[in-house]
Amino acid sequence: MHAFDVVGDPVRRRILELLADGERSSGELTAVVRKEFGISQPAVSQHLKVLRDNGFAVVRAERTRRLYAVDSAPLQELDAWLERFRRSWTPRLDALATEIARGKRAHRTHQDDPGSET
């Protein structure tokens, strides 16, 4: 499965977001995903399997629990692939951030002016 197919699914992206904060048990992941997406435990297990099989997550056994963690290697590969596109959107995003900051500054200045009406 292509890396973008793996991360293209919202359930798998959510699992990766949860794992970004650190190792989690399959029970914890299942509880959150079932609540947020309304899917069955076997469906969550299938998503975890896809993440494992494609190298995005690693699992280790601790007694009866299965603990999952992110394997960053595939994410680094995606990041490297996206790098060539960042060159085109980064200047535009920087310009947008500058305009937003100018607008906020102008808004604060307008509010701080005792002669202005708010």
Side-chain angles (χ1 to χ4, degrees), residues 86-105:
R86 260 187 215 101
R87 285 180 250 137
S88 66
W89 73 59
T90 299
R92 291 180 178 101
L93 290 174
D94 291 344
L96 176 61
T98 299
E99 289 305 313
I100 290 170
R102 284 181 185 153
K104 285 180 180 179
R105 238 183 345 267

Side-chain angles (χ1 to χ4, degrees), residues 3-4 7 55-56 70-83 86:
F4 283 107
V7 297
F56 284 82
V70 169
D71 185 340
S72 63
L75 295 171
Q76 291 170 350
E77 289 174 23
L78 286 175
D79 185 54
W81 187 85
L82 287 169
E83 183 57 37
R86 260 187 215 101

Side-chain angles (χ1 to χ4, degrees), residues 21-75:
D21 294 332
E23 191 175 62
R24 296 232 185 169
S25 72
S26 58
E28 289 176 89
L29 294 168
T30 299
V32 171
V33 171
R34 287 188 71 191
K35 181 179 178 184
E36 292 181 7
F37 291 90
I39 63 175
S40 68
Q41 182 275 328
V44 176
S45 293
Q46 186 60 37
H47 285 290
L48 288 168
K49 181 180 181 341
V50 169
L51 290 170
R52 274 193 328 268
D53 290 352
N54 288 280
F56 284 82
V58 293
V59 64
R60 70 178 180 88
E62 185 179 88
R63 292 188 216 91
T64 59
R65 295 178 1 146
R66 297 290 176 259
L67 299 171
Y68 283 83
V70 169
D71 185 340
S72 63
L75 295 171

